């Protein structure tokens, strides 16, 4: 009898505690309501990035950068590629020995993707420019390739890797330096750098001809028009003008008459 009485006391205490907690929840919900604010606080304005000032990532002047490239650094960066590529045999990716100067999608015994085969049908050789852009983002450069590597985003890393791969059976010679291409500033992303030919054709200041244009004395000048025995210069051609000389006046003041 005493055991059942004690059980009822404990059960009643538990129920009473539950009722008290439920009541507090309801009461706090009424006091601290979830009120929607009209304007959220601590809003941080973030300026959108625009590509207006972005410099184009275009292939460099290989005759200038390859002789100075860090081949040892390129070999260290190439370690990122070795999970799929080897310099001795095909693996997940094709053997890269001799890739510099090789026809794309032609390594014997490797099953290339349709995208790479289509690229090889249009591009006869893995030259420096195509390797440079492909290594930046393989899937973005060759549509349909099975190579899922995210790419090397730093230009110098790509230059160093290409210099290293060239030492591994590459057949493509280093071209002669082209100072005009090396010095030409790169424009916005997607725009080619200005070449020497464009500079030669561009007009000089104030309408003067640029390099390779007509001489300054012949641009815009008009020949004088002859009338009788004299030649009247055309308007705007420069030279003296026939302005009548005003009559001389006496500088002495006249004596006033009273």
């Amino acid at each position: 009898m005493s055991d059942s009485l004690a059980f009822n006391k404990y059960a009643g205490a538990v129920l009473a505690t539950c009722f008290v907690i439920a009541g507090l929840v309801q009461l706090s919900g009424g006091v601290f309501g979830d009120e929607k604010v009209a304007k959220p606080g601590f809003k941080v304005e973030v300026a959108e990035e625009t590509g207006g000032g972005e410099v184009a990532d275009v292939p460099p002047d290989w005759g200038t950068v390859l002789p100075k490239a860090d081949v040892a650094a390129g070999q260290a960066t190439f370690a990122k590629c070795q999970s799929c590529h080897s310099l001795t045999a095909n693996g997940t990716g094709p053997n890269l020995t001799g890739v510099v100067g090789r026809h794309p999608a032609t390594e014997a015994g490797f099953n290339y993707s349709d995208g790479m085969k289509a690229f090889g049908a249009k591009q006869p050789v893995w030259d420096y420019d195509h390797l440079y852009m492909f290594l930046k983002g393989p899937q973005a450069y060759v549509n349909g390739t099975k190579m899922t590597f995210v790419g090397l985003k730093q230009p110098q890393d790509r230059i160093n890797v290409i210099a290293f791969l060239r030492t591994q059976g590459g057949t493509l010679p280093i071209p002669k330096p082209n100072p005009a291409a090396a010095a030409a500033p790169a424009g916005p992303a997607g725009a080619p750098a200005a070449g020497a030919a464009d500079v030669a054709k561009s007009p000089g200041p104030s309408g003067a001809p640029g390099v390779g244009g007509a001489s300054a004395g012949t641009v815009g000048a008009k020949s004088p028009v002859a009338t009788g025995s004299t030649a009247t210069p055309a308007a705007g051609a420069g030279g003296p003008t026939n302005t009548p000389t005003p009559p001389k006046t006496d500088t002495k003041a006249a004596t006033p008459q009273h």
Side-chain angles (χ1 to χ4, degrees):
M1 184 67 163
S2 59
D3 292 341
S4 61
L5 199 61
F7 174 78
N8 290 336
K9 289 180 180 180
Y10 292 138
V14 171
L15 290 174
T17 303
C18 292
F19 283 131
V20 170
I21 293 173
L24 289 174
V25 171
Q26 293 293 330
L27 181 62
S28 62
V31 175
F32 305 102
D34 185 13
E35 183 179 355
K36 300 291 184 182
V37 294
K39 184 178 181 181
F42 303 103
K43 184 178 180 180
V44 179
E45 297 290 346
V46 180
E48 294 184 3
E49 294 184 1
T50 59
E54 184 181 354
V55 178
D57 185 3
V58 295
D61 174 37
W62 295 106
T64 301
V65 300
L66 276 180
K68 300 184 297 183
D70 191 338
V71 176
Q75 183 177 7
T77 304
F78 181 73
K80 300 178 181 179
C81 311
Q82 289 182 309
S83 59
C84 296
H85 292 280
S86 169
L87 294 171
T88 57
N90 293 329
T92 305
N95 178 13
L96 293 185
T97 298
V99 68
V100 179
R102 188 168 71 200
H103 193 140
T106 58
E107 178 64 14
F110 187 79
N111 184 22
Y112 287 92
S113 64
D114 292 338
M116 186 58 72
K117 291 177 182 177
F119 176 75
K122 296 182 296 183
Q123 176 61 30
V125 65
W126 272 123
D127 58 21
Y128 298 122
D129 286 355
H130 284 87
L131 283 171
Y132 180 85
M133 299 307 297
F134 179 72
L135 288 174
K136 179 182 179 181
Q139 291 187 326
Y141 196 66
V142 176
N143 186 28
T145 180
K146 293 186 293 186
M147 185 171 174
T148 58
F149 180 54
V150 67
L152 300 174
K153 304 308 176 185
Q154 295 299 322
Q156 191 60 49
D157 287 345
R158 281 174 270 158
I159 293 171
N160 292 339
V161 167
I162 292 171
F164 167 69
L165 289 175
R166 184 180 174 276
T167 66
Q168 306 300 307
T171 59
L172 204 63
I174 298 177
K176 293 182 179 180
N178 184 359
D198 296 327
V199 175
K201 295 178 182 178
S202 60
S206 303
V211 180
S215 61
T218 60
V219 177
K222 297 180 181 180
S223 301
V225 179
T227 55
S229 61
T230 61
T232 303
T241 56
N242 296 326
T243 305
T245 304
K248 295 183 179 180
T249 58
D250 190 0
T251 58
K252 297 182 179 180
T255 304
Q257 302 293 329
H258 297 283

